Amino acid sequence: MENNGENGKKRVLFVEDDEFLRSLTVKRLEKEGYDIEVAVDGENAISILEKAHPDVVLLDLLLPGKDGFEVLQTIRSTESVKTVPVVIFSNLGQKEDIDKAKALGVEEFLIKANFTLDDVVAKINKLTGRA
Amino acid sequence: METLDQKNKRLKEIGRIPINPLIFWGVVSAALTTVLLLIVAASGYISGIHWLIFVPVFAYLVIMGLFLAYISRLQRDRDQLLADRLSEESHRSEELKKLNQELESYAKQLFDKDIELTMANKRLQSLEQAKSKFVAVTTHQLRTPLSAIKWTFHMMMNSHLGPVTDEQKEFLRKGYASTQRTIMIINDLLNVDYIEAEQLDYNLVSIDIVELVENIMFEFTNQAKSRNIELKFLKPTNKPPAVMADPVKIGMVLENLIDNAVKYTPVSGHVTVHLSDARINSARPGVEIIVSDSGIGIPTAERDKLFHRFFRGSNAIHLEPNGTGLGLFIARDVIEKHGGELWFESKEGSGSNFHFTLPLFTSKAKT
């Protein structure tokens, strides 16, 4: 896994439109020593994607404007970030959503309400080779 | 009364008698006879035997009379039979026409019914879709704020947001548990909707069942301790082989059974999870898990209804008013989809044992 962040920290691109959920998650991941790049919607995520060059993307699905699926599609078709692991972190969880995400290529599909931020940290640690 | 078949048979027989050639040969033979008789009569006249003239004429008239009578009788019979048949046929075609009309009207009625059914079906489908949509949207809307509450409690009780006292931690833990329970209820509702739409997605992999049971039991440590309930796991001395299962779904089933056992067991009781080898349907190798408790038990009269959705035992409602009555319905569906079985035995007032089996992982099995 590539090291992108300052001081050798692993970088997580976190795409989430809900401000409160975002602040809690950022706080938890920063405490764990990650370098967090935040995007508040789909457009925002796509525009900073290549520059941020994350080690992991933590992606919500329901976003204003371009949704998480579109962001995922862009990631999978952008040469420089094509193989970056993506964790869907959403409260959608119907079969069609999961199937659609899996078809586009995701590492994990986590339903927010069913996990704690400690679980998310554990998943990201695993994906960045820290676990 | 002669039947139509008999008449047809007779008609066929009469039809075989060649009436027209008969008449033709009748006429020819009559002409020949006339000539012959003229010769006889002439010879009689010449020879002077005058009465000889009358014999052939008389004989001729008698023969011709008989012949004509026979022919005309044949003709009459045939005409009569033909007429009968015609009237019979027209009667039949009348009947057929009537039957046809009836059939057509039935067909029309059926067609109308079919349209009605199709329309009713469409209405049902759209209602079903609306319900699913409603459930999905509502659960999503509820899950987001609940996630925020759950995460906050969890972060605070684990001191991720700064130090907390033990007493504060206990309050936060209770807040977290309540939120978790609410999320479980929402998930139950959503799962039932998925089960009904046959949309529950199974991700069957090889799992370590001992580890899964231990993880789930760990979640209940505090809850059991707070009510002085002894929570025990009896596992086999040898590590059982891997099981073929969806860890999230089986975790949900275990959570549900252990939660019920702890919830419905009075203070200072005990809840034991027992794991052993088993044969599913006395054939397929698997494991059996028994969750037994010293709880309130299930009234005999309510046993048949226990796996009905939304059903709640009368003594259970009394103890825990906030349940959905969906947990066991979902649990049984999940276990059966895994190819296992789920059953129970219970004695009201002294406890219940819930059993379920899961097949072992085989490399041949499809995921």
Side-chain angles (χ1 to χ4, degrees), chain A residues 20-21 24-25 27-28 31 62 89 91-96 99 111-116 118, chain B residues 132 136 140 143-144 147-148 150-152 154-155 158-161 176 180 183 187 194 199 201:
Chain A
F20 183 54
L21 292 186
L24 277 174
T25 312
K27 202 161 179 78
R28 184 70 190 85
K31 193 160 179 272
L62 275 187
F89 198 39
N91 268 323
L92 290 181
Q94 284 192 293
K95 192 177 185 300
E96 60 247 45
D99 287 347
I111 293 168
K112 284 175 190 161
N114 294 352
F115 292 88
T116 63
D118 284 5
Chain B
S132 287
H140 180 263
R143 271 169 165 178
T144 301
S147 310
K150 173 177 164 168
W151 296 355
T152 310
H154 194 260
M155 294 260 281
N158 286 308
S159 313
H160 289 313
L161 299 175
Y176 173 77
Q180 186 59 20
I183 290 170
N187 286 347
Y194 286 168
Q199 261 208 351
D201 203 13

Side-chain angles (χ1 to χ4, degrees), chain B residues 172-200:
Chain B
L172 290 166
R173 200 190 56 71
K174 282 180 176 154
Y176 173 77
S178 304
T179 319
Q180 186 59 20
R181 184 162 296 270
T182 314
I183 290 170
M184 267 169 76
I185 290 174
I186 290 169
N187 286 347
D188 276 358
L189 286 171
L190 200 58
N191 275 326
V192 165
D193 196 57
Y194 286 168
I195 286 172
E196 283 172 348
E198 292 182 346
Q199 261 208 351
L200 213 55

Side-chain angles (χ1 to χ4, degrees), chain B residues 319-337:
Chain B
L319 237 115
E320 167 65 57
N322 302 318
T324 54
L326 292 171
L328 288 174
F329 169 75
I330 296 168
R332 185 146 84 169
D333 188 80
V334 167
I335 296 299
E336 283 174 357
K337 293 268 162 61

Side-chain angles (χ1 to χ4, degrees), chain B residues 107-164:
Chain B
K108 197 179 169 311
Q109 279 175 24
L110 267 179
F111 183 69
D112 290 348
K113 280 266 178 283
D114 192 46
I115 288 178
E116 266 175 48
L117 266 178
T118 312
M119 275 165 67
N121 215 9
K122 270 198 183 135
R123 265 204 306 277
L124 264 179
Q125 269 172 7
S126 77
L127 272 175
E128 190 61 34
Q129 275 167 6
K131 190 199 83 181
S132 287
K133 186 98 191 153
F134 173 77
V135 171
V137 169
T138 319
T139 47
H140 180 263
Q141 299 302 330
L142 290 171
R143 271 169 165 178
T144 301
L146 280 168
S147 310
I149 301 167
K150 173 177 164 168
W151 296 355
T152 310
F153 277 131
H154 194 260
M155 294 260 281
M156 288 178 82
M157 77 188 212
N158 286 308
S159 313
H160 289 313
L161 299 175
V164 284

Side-chain angles (χ1 to χ4, degrees), chain A:
Chain A
M1 198 63 62
E2 226 178 306
N3 263 339
N4 293 288
E6 50 203 74
N7 315 322
K9 284 180 177 175
K10 298 281 184 183
R11 181 174 288 169
V12 178
L13 172 60
F14 181 39
V15 191
E16 170 64 63
D17 61 323
D18 187 288
E19 203 217 320
F20 183 54
L21 292 186
R22 208 165 55 222
S23 64
L24 277 174
T25 312
V26 167
K27 202 161 179 78
R28 184 70 190 85
L29 287 173
E30 270 174 353
K31 193 160 179 272
E32 209 62 29
Y34 283 101
D35 180 18
I36 318 285
E37 202 65 56
V38 165
V40 297
D41 58 35
E43 301 276 357
N44 187 196
I46 289 166
S47 70
I48 64 169
L49 182 62
E50 283 199 88
K51 209 176 121 245
H53 205 285
D55 293 292
V56 177
V57 179
L58 193 56
L59 179 62
D60 191 13
L61 285 178
L62 275 187
L63 298 166
K66 287 195 168 151
D67 67 12
F69 291 114
E70 284 173 90
V71 176
L72 181 57
Q73 240 159 357
T74 312
I75 293 172
R76 292 292 172 242
S77 57
T78 306
E79 204 49 52
S80 61
V81 288
K82 215 175 188 165
T83 56
V84 171
V86 174
V87 175
I88 298 293
F89 198 39
S90 170
N91 268 323
L92 290 181
Q94 284 192 293
K95 192 177 185 300
E96 60 247 45
D97 302 319
I98 297 173
D99 287 347
K100 195 171 164 190
K102 280 185 179 165
L104 289 167
V106 295
E107 312 306 309
E108 292 274 0
F109 195 113
L110 305 181
I111 293 168
K112 284 175 190 161
N114 294 352
F115 292 88
T116 63
L117 290 175
D118 284 5
D119 298 327
V120 176
V121 165
K123 297 277 182 204
I124 290 176
N125 283 347
K126 213 169 123 189
L127 288 171
T128 54
R130 279 178 42 168

